[in-house]
Amino acid sequence: MELSNIPFLSTTDLSKLIQNKDISPVEATQAYLDRISNVDSDLNSYVTVCGEQALSQAKQAESDIASGKYIGPMHGIPVAVKDQFWTKGIQTTNGSTIHKGWIPDEDATVITNLKSNGAILLGKLNMSEYASGDAFHHPYGRPKNPWDLSRNPGTSSSGSGAATAACLCSTSLGEDTGGSIRGPASFCGLVGIRPSWGRVSRYGVFPASWSMDTVGPISRTTEDCAMTLKAIAGYDPKDPYTWNQPVPDYGSELTGDIRGVKIGVITERVDTEANDPEVRELVKTAISELGNAGAVINEISIPLIVHSAAISSTIISCDAAALTRKDLEQNLEQLDHNNQVRLLMGSIMPADAYLKAIKLRELLRRQILDALTKVDVLVMPTSSIPAPKIPEKAGVESKEEVLQGFKGRRSFTSPFNLANTPALSICCGFTSAILPVGLQIVGKPFAESTVFKVAYGYQSITDWHTQRPKI
Amino acid sequence: MNDLTHDEIKTLAKAVDIDIPDELIPEIAFSLNGLLEALNQTGVENLEAIEPLPIVIPTIS
């Protein structure tokens, strides 16, 4: 195989070729480094490329595999991670100039887990400052959507979406507090999962909201996403809220057979005028296809879901303000304008409003968990719109603009951060402007296997995952 | 509920000992008033019966 074609392989296919010694980890890593060098100046998906370290890791992997010490499916796979995760000896910025040049002396647990599974770290991916989906200024370059360079690749794991879609890494990690994995996955035509809170360690991850931050993969196929999650998930004594149970073999659920699986269609979020007409039709078609494949389709109502963005924004802005209080006092001018407004607002939030949001969260969670007692998974669009144009200015000019914002993408993804359930986005087609659209699949807490099963069942009867941007 | 005024925003900031530059006050007012209004638009009654406990314990179904 030509070296330049390696980046376009799925992680699953590359893994088999590496295991069979048809491709060496050094060849794969060099192929990705070459492509990053050729393409990323258009995308700004990387903050730091770890060329020498990556090749050094790859040589070790090559040597180990040659001597029969093959670890498993991630061995020799070139990956990239959001710059929110500590990486020993490698700059970690959290998307901010405040942390520019900061080099951690230890790895986040997810990085340790990737390395122990033999993965090769290509570099650190660009992101919205402090993992805030609202940030306007990107100090390390504005990330672009590979499907249309004038458009947003999704926030806040912007680089994870852009790099994975453009085949600048085999698979990637993002972090999702209000939709920051599923948004980029949807806007870039990828598969991304926000696992259950407690499934993946948060240790060594710059926090945004204590009770909603979740690390997960963004990949080009369902199998790749499942493989990557398997590598990073599991109990971690450094994060006391990780679940102390074995991680299932997600791959065993990927049979393609979804006959009899009960799917609940969230009425408030599917057949609604809040959705772009093309998004609505593509998602409805996807649901019909799932039904044709043997799934049992039911309609489910979750009345509070339309208010989830306001509930989520209240809690996250307060949490983030408390987490960044020192920066608000000492480095305010270094923060992005939108983050200044959001974090200062969170600092002065009346306690009554915060407590009201927590009560509403509990009610919403009950509605979602109740719905999940009737079906195996819930489905709805990941976003009401395809990737929007990159904004031209920061700030808001009226209260009405703020209220309008609560009807957008965050009200589609944040319900499941609030409920702490797993939620995955998979591409379910393209608009007439050739922009990807995401179908969101939501499972019961810790039922990631069922979510992957349905996603793979859908992927098996469609070919959206084979489409690539022309970059 | 009436919108919070710019002076009331400044008072809230003083109460928590945080400095807010004057030029940011209008946008913070838009944002906070918008958020408070959105929370009031949920129309949920009897919230008194709900305990505002943070959700940190995984629920396993």
Side-chain angles (χ1 to χ4, degrees), chain A residues 196-199 241-243 365 420 445-446, chain B residues 55-60:
Chain A
S196 306
W197 194 85
R199 174 55 86 194
Y241 295 113
T242 45
W243 200 39
R365 184 171 187 249
N420 291 339
F446 294 95
Chain B
I55 298 168
V56 292
I57 307 300
T59 300
I60 302 153

Tab-separated table of all heavy atoms in Angstrom, chain A residues 196-199 241-243 365 420 445-446, chain B residues 55-60:
chain	number	residue	atom	x	y	z
A	196	SER	N	-21.140	7.162	29.653
A	196	SER	CA	-21.757	7.442	30.947
A	196	SER	C	-20.743	8.142	31.844
A	196	SER	O	-19.550	7.807	31.816
A	196	SER	CB	-22.169	6.143	31.644
A	196	SER	OG	-22.976	5.370	30.812
A	197	TRP	N	-21.232	9.071	32.628
A	197	TRP	CA	-20.353	9.727	33.592
A	197	TRP	C	-19.921	8.676	34.614
A	197	TRP	O	-20.769	7.982	35.185
A	197	TRP	CB	-21.123	10.873	34.263
A	197	TRP	CG	-20.274	11.828	35.027
A	197	TRP	CD1	-19.610	12.901	34.532
A	197	TRP	CD2	-20.024	11.809	36.437
A	197	TRP	NE1	-18.946	13.560	35.541
A	197	TRP	CE2	-19.189	12.907	36.721
A	197	TRP	CE3	-20.417	10.970	37.470
A	197	TRP	CZ2	-18.752	13.200	38.001
A	197	TRP	CZ3	-19.973	11.253	38.754
A	197	TRP	CH2	-19.157	12.362	39.005
A	198	GLY	N	-18.636	8.521	34.799
A	198	GLY	CA	-18.128	7.474	35.687
A	198	GLY	C	-17.527	6.300	34.930
A	198	GLY	O	-16.921	5.410	35.525
A	199	ARG	N	-17.684	6.274	33.600
A	199	ARG	CA	-17.132	5.182	32.803
A	199	ARG	C	-15.656	5.418	32.472
A	199	ARG	O	-14.851	4.478	32.368
A	199	ARG	CB	-17.951	5.020	31.507
A	199	ARG	CG	-17.425	4.040	30.512
A	199	ARG	CD	-17.215	2.671	31.075
A	199	ARG	NE	-18.404	1.824	31.055
A	199	ARG	CZ	-18.506	0.688	31.741
A	199	ARG	NH1	-17.505	0.275	32.507
A	199	ARG	NH2	-19.600	-0.043	31.689
A	241	TYR	N	-14.918	8.776	41.291
A	241	TYR	CA	-16.261	8.589	40.744
A	241	TYR	C	-16.272	7.696	39.500
A	241	TYR	O	-17.290	7.600	38.830
A	241	TYR	CB	-16.916	9.940	40.469
A	241	TYR	CG	-17.152	10.706	41.749
A	241	TYR	CD1	-16.461	11.875	42.025
A	241	TYR	CD2	-18.057	10.231	42.694
A	241	TYR	CE1	-16.654	12.554	43.211
A	241	TYR	CE2	-18.253	10.905	43.880
A	241	TYR	CZ	-17.553	12.065	44.140
A	241	TYR	OH	-17.748	12.730	45.326
A	242	THR	N	-15.153	7.079	39.185
A	242	THR	CA	-15.206	6.071	38.119
A	242	THR	C	-15.846	4.798	38.671
A	242	THR	O	-15.743	4.496	39.864
A	242	THR	CB	-13.803	5.739	37.569
A	242	THR	OG1	-12.887	5.577	38.661
A	242	THR	CG2	-13.320	6.806	36.627
A	243	TRP	N	-16.479	4.050	37.786
A	243	TRP	CA	-17.241	2.863	38.168
A	243	TRP	C	-16.304	1.669	38.238
A	243	TRP	O	-15.627	1.359	37.262
A	243	TRP	CB	-18.333	2.633	37.125
A	243	TRP	CG	-19.452	1.781	37.594
A	243	TRP	CD1	-20.042	1.781	38.835
A	243	TRP	CD2	-20.127	0.789	36.828
A	243	TRP	NE1	-21.056	0.873	38.865
A	243	TRP	CE2	-21.137	0.244	37.660
A	243	TRP	CE3	-20.005	0.327	35.523
A	243	TRP	CZ2	-22.006	-0.751	37.219
A	243	TRP	CZ3	-20.871	-0.661	35.085
A	243	TRP	CH2	-21.856	-1.193	35.924
A	365	ARG	N	-33.816	14.444	34.376
A	365	ARG	CA	-33.162	13.132	34.451
A	365	ARG	C	-34.198	12.033	34.675
A	365	ARG	O	-34.134	10.967	34.050
A	365	ARG	CB	-32.143	13.157	35.581
A	365	ARG	CG	-31.321	11.898	35.721
A	365	ARG	CD	-30.207	12.152	36.726
A	365	ARG	NE	-29.291	11.037	36.795
A	365	ARG	CZ	-29.189	10.238	37.861
A	365	ARG	NH1	-29.944	10.429	38.913
A	365	ARG	NH2	-28.312	9.254	37.865
A	420	ASN	N	-26.590	12.139	32.746
A	420	ASN	CA	-25.449	11.218	32.891
A	420	ASN	C	-25.650	9.891	32.159
A	420	ASN	O	-25.288	8.824	32.653
A	420	ASN	CB	-25.135	10.945	34.364
A	420	ASN	CG	-24.576	12.168	35.048
A	420	ASN	OD1	-24.066	13.054	34.378
A	420	ASN	ND2	-24.671	12.230	36.356
A	445	PRO	N	-27.835	4.344	31.564
A	445	PRO	CA	-26.506	4.501	32.168
A	445	PRO	C	-25.688	3.213	32.074
A	445	PRO	O	-26.181	2.133	32.389
A	445	PRO	CB	-26.836	4.864	33.623
A	445	PRO	CG	-28.160	5.549	33.536
A	445	PRO	CD	-28.905	4.827	32.453
A	446	PHE	N	-24.496	3.338	31.587
A	446	PHE	CA	-23.520	2.249	31.446
A	446	PHE	C	-23.920	1.208	30.389
A	446	PHE	O	-23.330	0.133	30.335
A	446	PHE	CB	-23.222	1.580	32.795
A	446	PHE	CG	-22.516	2.536	33.716
A	446	PHE	CD1	-23.236	3.287	34.629
A	446	PHE	CD2	-21.160	2.744	33.624
A	446	PHE	CE1	-22.611	4.217	35.442
A	446	PHE	CE2	-20.527	3.661	34.427
A	446	PHE	CZ	-21.250	4.406	35.334
B	55	ILE	N	-25.937	15.397	41.136
B	55	ILE	CA	-25.957	14.014	40.640
B	55	ILE	C	-24.512	13.564	40.442
B	55	ILE	O	-23.850	13.965	39.499
B	55	ILE	CB	-26.717	13.942	39.309
B	55	ILE	CG1	-28.165	14.381	39.525
B	55	ILE	CG2	-26.656	12.537	38.722
B	55	ILE	CD1	-28.921	14.619	38.245
B	56	VAL	N	-24.016	12.762	41.346
B	56	VAL	CA	-22.643	12.287	41.179
B	56	VAL	C	-22.555	10.778	41.302
B	56	VAL	O	-21.530	10.188	40.994
B	56	VAL	CB	-21.665	12.930	42.192
B	56	VAL	CG1	-21.499	14.402	41.914
B	56	VAL	CG2	-22.139	12.705	43.616
B	57	ILE	N	-23.598	10.126	41.747
B	57	ILE	CA	-23.544	8.677	41.901
B	57	ILE	C	-24.110	8.030	40.644
B	57	ILE	O	-25.245	8.284	40.270
B	57	ILE	CB	-24.363	8.218	43.127
B	57	ILE	CG1	-23.911	8.992	44.364
B	57	ILE	CG2	-24.232	6.722	43.329
B	57	ILE	CD1	-22.457	8.821	44.731
B	58	PRO	N	-23.337	7.187	39.969
B	58	PRO	CA	-23.856	6.547	38.763
B	58	PRO	C	-25.117	5.738	39.059
B	58	PRO	O	-25.222	5.079	40.075
B	58	PRO	CB	-22.716	5.625	38.335
B	58	PRO	CG	-21.506	6.167	38.996
B	58	PRO	CD	-21.957	6.798	40.265
B	59	THR	N	-26.088	5.835	38.171
B	59	THR	CA	-27.293	5.011	38.251
B	59	THR	C	-27.130	3.860	37.289
B	59	THR	O	-26.846	4.067	36.122
B	59	THR	CB	-28.528	5.830	37.846
B	59	THR	OG1	-28.620	6.930	38.741
B	59	THR	CG2	-29.788	4.998	37.938
B	60	ILE	N	-27.278	2.657	37.790
B	60	ILE	CA	-27.069	1.479	36.949
B	60	ILE	C	-28.412	0.823	36.701
B	60	ILE	O	-29.100	0.445	37.652
B	60	ILE	CB	-26.098	0.506	37.630
B	60	ILE	CG1	-24.775	1.226	37.887
B	60	ILE	CG2	-25.899	-0.734	36.790
B	60	ILE	CD1	-24.000	0.684	39.032
